[in-house]
Amino acid sequence: MLEFLWKSETRPWRVIVVGAGFAGLSAARELEKRRDVELTVLDRSNHHLFQPLLYQVATGGLNPSEIASPIRSLFRDSPRATVMLGSMTGIDRRKRTIQIDDSGSTLPYDYLIVAVGGRTSYFGHPEWESRAPGLKTLDDARNIRQGVLLAFERAEMEEDPEIRRRLMTVAVIGGGPTGVEMAGALAELRTHVLSREFKRIRPEDARVLLLEAGPRLLSGFPEKASATALSELGRLGVEVLLGETVEDIGTDSVRTNRRSLSAENVIWAAGVQGHPLGSLLEAPLDRAGRVKIAPELHLPHDERVFCLGDMTSLENRHGKPLPGVAPVAAQQGKHAARNIGRLIDGKRPKPFRYFDKGSMATIGRKSAVAVLPGGIVLSGWTAWLGWLAVHLAFLVDVQNRLVVMFRWAWAYLGWKWNVRLIDDVQHHPSPPATVMSSPTGAGLPG
Ligand SMILES: Cc1cc2nc3c(=O)[nH]c(=O)nc-3n(C[C@H](O)[C@H](O)[C@H](O)COP(=O)(O)OP(=O)(O)OC[C@H]3O[C@@H](n4cnc5c(N)ncnc54)[C@H](O)[C@@H]3O)c2cc1C
């Protein structure tokens, strides 16, 4: 009854979208079409980030700005959309307000969409984070790039072969799509890019390790795709270690159930968990801390608050959990916006159905695996071209699309990955005296 009375009002409906990732952005895009909605998009960062290409920033292939688009610019032509920079820190569902930052400022809503993504999970070992950075933000990608490039610089000046070997070892933990893509790109960086530029060390001898606890890579893909990924990574010289459960990560080593490995850089690509904000929504959480939502995508028993994307847990109609991937988030965003429209119009919201168009992972240049609906597996060139096309199409910014296309073509033709700034020179170690006094390289590693 109350809903009906509200519908008869002509007031604009205040809808807040928190998080302009894949889910939030697609919801906002749909909501901005409605004249009766006053839209606010709130994000703690000023850009929408295309996470699937983060690994290329981490390996020097792309600039951070090429996979990030200012949220404000995405809504510049939307008269009814306001963009705000800030973090949602709390909610009062009774008063229908959210808290922003720690300043105590609040924003009222009629409908709320919370889509703040997931967090890297260290499986109960938060202390590993400082040693093994995850790959979730641009800062993560820049830190990884910095760590890997600095290690090669230090190796160039190092005389002790054991230390040199450690400096030239990168261990990637987690054999899912991110780990596979990361390991493949690191192997190519080493073999085709750095090998031409260092004169004292042989970067092509650097070790790229990929550790996976399970019996195969890409466990969410069919076995044929896992086998292809394994052989393609082998071709690139990645040492894939299956059945290796990480038990400890030290300052320059990784201990697994089977061995201890010396590695200067360790990259964590193993787990995702819910966002801490999820626990403030007074809704049930799954074991990974993700919010269990209703099939219509709102919180159970609250049709005013929708929750989407990586921070949530929802099963498809066959009882299988939906994967934490961009298409799920984007489709949920559109669906949630339409359900809000239905509620405003006095209709019932509809349950969400995921339309699975397949999944893919690239394994270096000219190689990828793609799984199409129906379980058809493509690999090699065809899959790689498909991967390029899909990733370009998903970049939200036309300018970025063109720049990325140009960079890929340039890299393809000349193996030039030139986005290799080492920003933080503070961490650059002083070269040993012998190196400084030995311009001919005498006494240095060959
Ligand atoms: C390295 C990597 C590679 C990936 N590769 C692929 C791939 O190849 N294919 C694929 O389909 N998927 C891939 N994914 C997964 C995909 O990126 C996610 O499923 C998708 O981004 C989820 O979208 P989302 O909107 O839920 O969250 P996100 O895209 O993570 O967006 C969350 C947004 O919320 C904002 N936010 C966070 N906290 C707050 C707060 N308190 N207040 C306000 N704003 C906040 C963030 O700044 C961010 O903009 C990859 C993920 C990673 C990390």
Side-chain angles (χ1 to χ4, degrees):
M1 179 62 180
L2 191 63
E3 297 292 325
F4 175 74
L5 287 175
W6 272 26
K7 179 187 175 311
S8 62
E9 291 175 29
T10 51
R11 64 175 185 151
W13 294 83
R14 295 161 304 185
V15 183
I16 303 177
V17 175
V18 185
F22 284 96
L25 194 59
S26 103
R29 284 264 182 260
E30 192 66 21
L31 284 162
E32 69 179 344
K33 295 179 191 161
R34 285 192 69 115
R35 290 180 170 273
D36 55 355
V37 164
E38 193 182 273
L39 177 65
T40 302
V41 179
L42 173 76
D43 199 296
R44 67 171 177 197
S45 68
N46 78 331
H47 54 268
H48 165 82
L49 179 63
F50 191 75
Q51 290 173 356
L53 288 178
L54 266 178
Y55 81 97
Q56 295 210 358
V57 174
T59 50
L62 292 176
N63 255 316
S65 62
E66 288 155 9
I67 62 163
S69 311
I71 299 166
R72 210 165 272 294
S73 81
L74 298 175
F75 291 94
R76 66 194 291 173
D77 298 324
S78 307
R80 288 175 300 277
T82 305
V83 174
M84 289 189 181
L85 178 68
S87 265
M88 174 177 164
T89 49
I91 183 170
D92 187 330
R93 276 170 56 187
R94 245 178 347 98
K95 291 188 187 152
R96 292 200 190 124
T97 56
I98 60 165
Q99 282 99 55
I100 303 173
D101 298 326
D102 297 323
S103 60
S105 56
T106 56
L107 267 186
Y109 64 84
D110 296 311
Y111 288 96
L112 173 68
I113 292 181
V114 186
V116 290
R119 285 274 167 95
T120 304
S121 165
Y122 286 86
F123 305 127
H125 288 279
E127 72 277 11
W128 291 351
E129 185 173 359
S130 59
R131 260 297 289 144
L135 187 58
K136 196 87 188 99
T137 63
L138 284 177
D139 274 346
D140 294 337
R142 274 192 291 247
N143 284 340
I144 290 171
R145 184 181 72 188
Q146 178 101 345
V148 171
L149 294 178
L150 266 179
F152 277 94
E153 296 296 340
R154 287 174 59 200
E156 179 87 331
M157 296 188 298
E158 182 56 59
E159 289 179 74
D160 185 325
E162 214 167 291
I163 300 178
R164 214 163 56 227
R165 191 154 176 76
R166 188 197 76 219
L167 288 167
M168 289 168 64
T169 302
V170 187
V172 180
I173 299 172
T178 302
V180 165
E181 296 187 336
M182 190 74 204
L186 284 167
E188 291 193 327
L189 174 73
R190 161 200 74 178
T191 311
H192 299 290
V193 183
L194 301 183
S195 64
R196 298 189 187 184
E197 299 176 6
F198 283 83
K199 302 294 163 9
R200 291 173 167 143
I201 54 167
R202 284 172 43 86
E204 56 271 46
D205 292 342
R207 296 178 79 193
V208 178
L209 307 163
L210 179 58
L211 279 59
E212 164 58 41
R216 65 184 177 102
L217 298 173
L218 301 178
S219 62
F221 289 51
E223 290 200 11
K224 191 176 163 199
S226 305
T228 305
L230 186 64
S231 74
E232 285 297 298
L233 285 175
R235 184 179 58 77
L236 294 175
V238 175
E239 297 171 50
V240 179
L241 304 175
L242 299 173
E244 303 268 337
T245 310
V246 173
E247 293 181 343
D248 194 22
I249 304 179
T251 45
D252 50 16
S253 64
V254 178
R255 184 165 52 78
T256 73
N257 52 333
R258 295 187 177 161
R259 70 196 91 205
S260 185
L261 296 157
S262 183
E264 180 71 8
N265 280 287
V266 183
I267 298 164
W268 188 263
V272 179
Q273 63 185 11
H275 192 288
L277 201 54
S279 57
L280 302 181
L281 297 177
E282 297 164 6
L285 304 178
D286 72 1
R287 276 184 3 182
R290 288 172 303 197
V291 180
K292 289 186 179 179
I293 49 174
E296 293 78 12
L297 306 180
H298 51 68
L299 297 184
H301 317 299
D302 191 347
E303 292 182 348
R304 296 293 180 141
V305 181
F306 286 71
C307 199
L308 316 172
D310 276 9
M311 70 177 301
T312 64
S313 158
L314 183 67
E315 291 175 352
N316 68 13
R317 52 201 154 131
H318 309 296
K320 241 181 113 189
L322 293 177
V325 291
V328 170
Q331 288 179 34
Q332 285 188 339
K334 195 168 186 177
H335 191 85
R338 289 186 174 168
N339 270 350
I340 289 175
R342 292 181 66 81
L343 286 164
I344 289 174
D345 294 340
K347 298 178 188 155
R348 297 302 308 146
K350 289 185 174 174
F352 172 70
R353 298 255 182 279
Y354 174 51
F355 178 39
D356 186 356
K357 297 177 191 160
S359 39
M360 39 181 51
T362 177
I363 319 156
R365 195 166 83 144
K366 290 195 282 191
S367 183
V369 285
V371 183
L372 305 181
I376 301 162
V377 177
L378 296 180
S379 58
W381 258 96
T382 4
W384 186 66
L385 289 176
W387 182 91
L388 290 183
V390 167
H391 283 71
L392 282 175
F394 262 89
L395 276 170
V396 291
D397 200 304
V398 178
Q399 182 187 324
N400 277 352
R401 233 177 263 167
L402 294 174
V403 175
V404 169
M405 205 156 61
F406 171 77
R407 272 202 195 284
W408 284 349
W410 191 248
Y412 185 84
L413 294 173
W415 282 117
K416 286 208 171 110
W417 300 5
N418 280 344
V419 192
R420 285 186 279 129
L421 298 182
I422 298 177
D423 317 304
D424 191 357
V425 284
Q426 299 292 322
H427 288 133
H428 202 303
S430 314
T434 47
V435 175
M436 298 304 284
S437 60
S438 179
T440 57
L444 291 167

